[in-house]
Amino acid sequence: MRKIRIYEDTDIIANNTIELGESASNHVARVLRMQCGEAIYVFNGTGIEAECIITQINKKSVICNVKSIEEVKNESPLNIHLGQVLNKGDKMDLIVQKCVELGVTEITPLVSQRCNIKLTEDRLLKKQQTLQKIVISACEQCGRAIVPKINPIIDIVDFVKEGADELKLTLNPYAKFKIKELDVKTKNIRLLVGPEGGFNETETKMAADNNYTDVLLGPRILRTETAALVAISIIQSQFGDI
């Protein structure tokens, strides 16, 4: 039996009704072709999930009754903040989607000297909104009930200066240490991943000056979209919940 999960930014109260927004309603009624009497599971990003029964399907809305509420306990014990330099095409979309599935808590898209992406302020905002939608969709699929945050797109210079109380890691194919060899004493991890062309010398030095530790993923050089996912998988396997 399929379990349909829907994100809705609304209060979830036992025995109350929930009216889904137009986008969610269209997905439930026209894409999934669900009917009155069927169950859907609604979460609002606060860590709870409600089993709801569809009672009305209107032209632009779906109304359901909250049958029961449950706390979802599948968040990673680690707080992983990914700083990922923007990539061309749909690579960034893929990275964000899979990182959510792997348990990342927060994502900051970055601009660096070699990312070769020039966006206006309006397009930067639109890209952030698009990535947040991808995050929500990934949560609906993977069962998370707390929605990771997509921060505004910023320059790498600003990002590396943040996170004083975090373990700061950056990927380097010439690093001396692997992730599993680190002595990790905190649950707060900040991971910096560069673009396809890598960081320039100034950015590499700047990361080192701000207490970033270079780590090695293995004997092969990975593409940027592969590197982020492999690094997070290793971190979760060694210190998290995978």
Side-chain angles (χ1 to χ4, degrees), residues 1-7 10-18 20 34 37-44 47-55 62-72 145:
M1 182 178 179
R2 62 179 180 174
K3 180 177 180 178
I4 305 301
R5 302 182 75 248
I6 298 293
Y7 170 81
T10 186
D11 292 333
I12 296 177
I13 302 172
N15 301 316
N16 275 23
T17 61
I18 293 176
L20 302 182
M34 298 186 73
E38 290 192 90
I40 60 173
Y41 293 80
V42 179
F43 65 101
N44 60 3
I48 61 172
E49 177 181 272
E51 181 182 1
C52 303
I53 304 300
I54 298 173
T55 57
V62 169
I63 298 174
C64 53
N65 288 340
V66 177
K67 180 180 178 182
S68 62
I69 298 175
E70 180 180 3
E71 183 181 1
V72 179

Side-chain angles (χ1 to χ4, degrees), residues 85-86 109-113 115 117 124 153-157 203:
V85 175
L86 290 170
L110 304 174
V111 176
S112 73
Q113 289 296 314
C115 72
I117 294 177
L124 286 172
I153 301 169
I154 61 174
D155 194 281
I156 185 176
V157 173
E203 292 165 342

